[in-house]
Amino acid sequence: MIRTWTEHPARTGIRRDVSLDFACPESDGQASEDDGAARLSTAAAVWHYPAQVSAPADSARPARRLLLIHGFRGDHHGMALIVDALPEFEIFVPDLPGFGATPPLRRGAGGLAEHTLGAYAACVEALAQALDLGPTDVLVGHSFGSIIVAAHAAQTHPAGHAAQTNPAAHAAQNLPADPAPGSSQSRRWAGLVLFAPISNDIFTGTLLPGAAAVDLYYRASGRLPARWAQVLLRSPAAQAVTNASMILARAPEQVAYIKDQHRRYFSGYSDPNTLLQAYRASSRHTVTEFAPSLDLPVLLVPGAQDQLSTPAGQRRLRRMLPQASSEVLRGTGHLLHYEKPAQAGRALRRFVAALD
């Protein structure tokens, strides 16, 4: 059945469990390759969607594949409508470590690792290598995923190493040490697509009141015993506030779908500590930190009424990117992946066509 919102039938993914083992981004570079403490690992659950529409036999264009990275407190389900809207693409959608079916990151043979932005960015590189994604493919992120993929692309793109322009900021962000150009860790994506990119420091200006309330909620959760933290973090009231503040759709069926998605997957994290670490990573960084180093084609797709970024912040981000284009989606905000998936898919399709 064709979904009204995507203009295409729903797609069914094939789950693949991918073992990842990669360098710890907090390593000071002095640990040996065989030092287990210098490495992170997990078994990533990845959903693979083969292309449903074949390219013309005489097409000279490369068969571009997509790697989609979801946002905070989500998992691969959050990208489902975007996937449906793009039937001609082969797509991979992982659950990030600590969310959905992917366990938290572990450090060597020891306990759980800290889930920093650098760790998530390094995990994307490990996924790309394991899935054999290369220079003809496109990396996509939504919300917190936009920050993760920007951090990853700035670090691994041959012409865009953040440490070359700001070593102190690079170290503070816990990003991996620079790979040598041409090494196996040096990766040139064909392009980068950022849905609802985080362009503003949410603790400033008009975004501050809402951000302060959310921060208080997570800080309070972090001070509670695990049992009570779970009660607060999984509270139906918290979901209701999220729904009331974020949903802009008006069609009853669509509103019901979004609320059901939040009910099913909003609490699909592994444990409160990992969730709080991911919250800190998502709320203390923006795409703008990495924009000057993103020396590759970038598509920005913000919602016109995004609740986590301002129009001025989005314009500033656009000016900072050397090779960027932007398509603003009207009538939606931060939940554009639920509310405007067909429009988001068309924007991505035009961007990819322009790469050829």
Side-chain angles (χ1 to χ4, degrees):
M1 182 179 70
I2 294 178
R3 294 180 187 267
T4 303
W5 315 317
T6 65
E7 302 175 350
H8 296 279
R11 297 171 68 177
T12 300
I14 304 164
R15 176 172 168 173
R16 295 173 54 180
D17 292 314
V18 181
S19 295
L20 302 179
D21 183 275
F22 54 95
C24 172
E26 288 81 11
S27 172
D28 60 7
Q30 297 179 2
S32 70
E33 283 292 321
D34 297 327
D35 186 352
R39 303 195 68 79
L40 302 180
S41 63
T42 191
V46 181
W47 275 259
H48 177 212
Y49 301 84
Q52 294 185 330
V53 179
S54 300
D58 60 349
S59 175
R61 295 186 295 180
R64 301 196 188 279
R65 297 168 294 173
L66 309 179
L67 176 62
L68 272 57
I69 304 299
H70 65 76
F72 176 64
R73 287 198 76 152
D75 62 19
H76 73 281
H77 292 93
M79 297 289 94
L81 297 182
I82 300 292
V83 171
D84 293 348
L86 297 164
E88 71 271 37
F89 289 97
E90 182 180 6
I91 302 177
F92 298 90
V93 190
D95 287 346
L96 287 173
F99 295 91
T102 299
L105 294 169
R106 304 196 73 86
R107 185 182 296 276
L112 297 179
E114 186 175 358
H115 291 68
T116 64
L117 176 59
Y120 282 120
C123 184
V124 170
E125 173 59 24
L127 279 164
Q129 291 188 28
L131 298 171
D132 196 27
L133 297 173
T136 64
D137 302 318
V138 175
L139 182 60
V140 183
H142 170 262
S143 187
F144 179 37
S146 75
I147 305 174
I148 293 172
V149 301
H152 160 79
Q155 173 58 33
T156 57
H157 193 277
H161 299 317
Q164 293 178 357
T165 57
N166 193 341
H170 181 270
Q173 292 155 2
N174 288 326
L175 292 176
D178 276 343
S183 73
S184 62
Q185 290 186 325
S186 186
R187 176 175 306 280
R188 179 180 290 276
W189 295 91
L192 196 65
V193 178
L194 308 181
F195 290 128
I198 304 297
S199 61
N200 294 74
D201 176 354
I202 60 174
F203 296 102
T204 60
T206 59
L207 300 176
L208 175 59
V214 172
D215 200 62
L216 179 63
Y217 167 73
Y218 282 106
R219 286 179 182 272
S221 300
R223 294 190 175 97
L224 293 172
R227 176 186 174 188
W228 294 108
Q230 291 282 43
V231 171
L232 181 57
L233 290 169
R234 293 177 171 169
S235 166
Q239 291 184 35
V241 170
T242 299
N243 291 333
S245 60
M246 302 294 282
I247 297 176
L248 297 181
R250 292 292 179 262
E253 185 182 4
Q254 194 171 21
V255 172
Y257 175 85
I258 298 170
K259 289 182 177 180
D260 184 62
Q261 290 287 297
H262 285 165
R263 180 184 64 81
R264 289 171 179 264
Y265 309 117
F266 191 66
S267 297
Y269 55 87
S270 61
D271 62 277
N273 192 46
T274 297
L275 178 67
L276 295 173
Q277 292 174 1
Y279 165 70
R280 286 193 289 271
S282 69
S283 61
R284 267 60 180 180
H285 298 281
T286 69
V287 176
T288 57
E289 296 174 37
F290 310 100
S293 298
L294 296 179
D295 188 19
L296 76 169
V298 179
L299 173 65
L300 304 175
V301 187
Q305 298 164 263
D306 196 313
Q307 300 89 338
L308 300 185
S309 295
T310 66
Q314 294 287 351
R315 290 192 295 270
R316 176 172 175 266
L317 174 59
R318 167 67 183 82
R319 291 193 298 269
M320 294 176 69
L321 290 163
Q323 301 181 51
S325 58
S326 178
E327 290 204 30
V328 179
L329 301 188
R330 306 296 176 185
T332 189
H334 202 69
L335 302 185
L336 62 84
H337 59 311
Y338 289 142
E339 297 181 332
K340 301 289 183 180
Q343 294 87 333
R346 287 196 292 270
L348 185 149
R349 187 178 290 111
R350 286 189 288 268
F351 172 73
V352 171
L355 296 175
D356 298 326

